């Protein structure tokens, strides 16, 4: 069985940043899944689940309304490990090329007075939100991205090295 791309990332070395998780050829185009890592896995606490849900609503709304990007956005949603989000866009841009988009999306959270789409008819868990905590995480990540804009480490996925036997079998727990 093939190891999925996100499990081939060395989570002991990854830092918060913007990474290409995978690229897929779809018809005549490319779809790129980006790993928007907000916290350092296994070193920092996971993002508070209420704040994560609020960030999902706030940033998805921002991305789908950005006049320059809305037609490229396919998906914005949380990672199961609660350390970041996946952003899926049409096209094959490098992480550096979407830096401003991601930075501005997180900046936009500070101006929010409410979380969009939280009525029971709009949200599957309308009580699972925390705007003040979402603002805290967004400001923290925005500050981090701004301070590390010239740091190549925030754009380059650290991959795990897998032991391979002479006959080509990989050890997934090495």
């Amino acid at each position: 069985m093939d190891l999925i791309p996100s499990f081939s990332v060395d989570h002991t070395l990854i830092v918060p940043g913007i990474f290409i998780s995978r690229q897929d050829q779809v018809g005549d185009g490319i779809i790129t899944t980006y790993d928007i890592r907000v916290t350092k896995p296994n070193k920092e606490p996971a993002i508070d689940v209420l704040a994560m849900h609020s960030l999902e609503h706030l940033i998805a709304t921002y991305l789908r309304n950005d006049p320059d990007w809305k037609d490229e956005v396919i998906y914005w949603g949380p990672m199961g490990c609660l350390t970041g989000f996946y952003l899926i866009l049409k096209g094959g841009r490098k992480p550096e090329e979407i830096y401003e988009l991601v930075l501005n999306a997180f900046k936009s959270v500070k101006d929010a007075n409410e979380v969009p789409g939280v009525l029971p008819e709009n949200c599957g868990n309308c009580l699972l939100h925390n705007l003040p905590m979402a603002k805290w995480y967004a400001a923290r990540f925005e500050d981090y991205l701004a301070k590390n804009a010239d740091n190549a480490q925030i754009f380059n996925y650290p991959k795990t090295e897998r032991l391979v036997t002479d006959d080509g079998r990989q050890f997934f727990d090495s």
Side-chain angles (χ1 to χ4, degrees):
M1 189 175 291
D2 291 336
L3 191 65
I4 64 171
S6 63
F7 293 163
S8 67
V9 175
D10 190 334
H11 286 77
T12 66
L13 299 176
I14 195 169
V15 297
I18 304 165
F19 311 98
I20 291 177
S21 177
R22 63 182 291 160
Q23 289 188 317
D24 297 290
Q25 188 73 37
V26 179
D28 293 336
I30 294 175
I31 303 295
T32 304
T33 302
Y34 298 92
D35 173 330
I36 311 300
R37 194 65 63 140
V38 177
T39 64
K40 189 167 176 137
N42 303 310
K43 297 286 183 193
E44 296 177 314
I47 299 170
D48 173 79
V49 71
L50 281 74
M52 190 78 156
H53 191 198
S54 295
L55 286 168
E56 175 193 8
H57 279 235
L58 289 158
I59 294 177
T61 300
Y62 174 86
L63 293 170
R64 290 190 176 104
N65 284 282
D66 184 290
D68 297 326
W69 289 92
K70 66 182 181 180
D71 294 332
E72 307 303 314
V73 175
I74 295 172
Y75 174 79
W76 170 264
M79 294 178 176
C81 62
L82 301 176
T83 62
F85 296 87
Y86 288 113
L87 171 61
I88 303 175
L89 297 175
K90 296 175 187 172
R93 293 172 195 84
K94 295 178 182 175
E96 295 87 347
E97 295 176 87
I98 67 162
Y99 170 84
E100 289 294 328
L101 173 67
V102 174
L103 179 66
N104 290 335
F106 278 86
K107 276 184 185 181
S108 75
V109 173
K110 71 180 161 206
D111 296 326
N113 296 318
E114 63 185 16
V115 178
V118 296
L119 295 175
E121 55 269 22
N122 304 126
C123 179
N125 201 341
C126 65
L127 299 178
L128 189 73
H129 288 280
N130 186 330
L131 180 58
M133 282 303 297
K135 287 185 175 204
W136 183 84
Y137 282 104
R140 180 176 181 257
F141 189 56
E142 172 198 340
D143 182 59
Y144 174 85
L145 285 177
K147 287 179 180 173
N148 286 279
D150 295 326
N151 179 357
Q153 191 178 17
I154 73 165
F155 301 114
N156 296 312
Y157 241 171
K159 296 288 188 170
T160 57
E161 293 295 324
R162 302 283 178 200
L163 295 176
V164 179
T165 64
D166 291 338
D167 62 355
R169 290 180 292 153
Q170 288 188 343
F171 290 101
F172 293 108
D173 61 349
S174 61

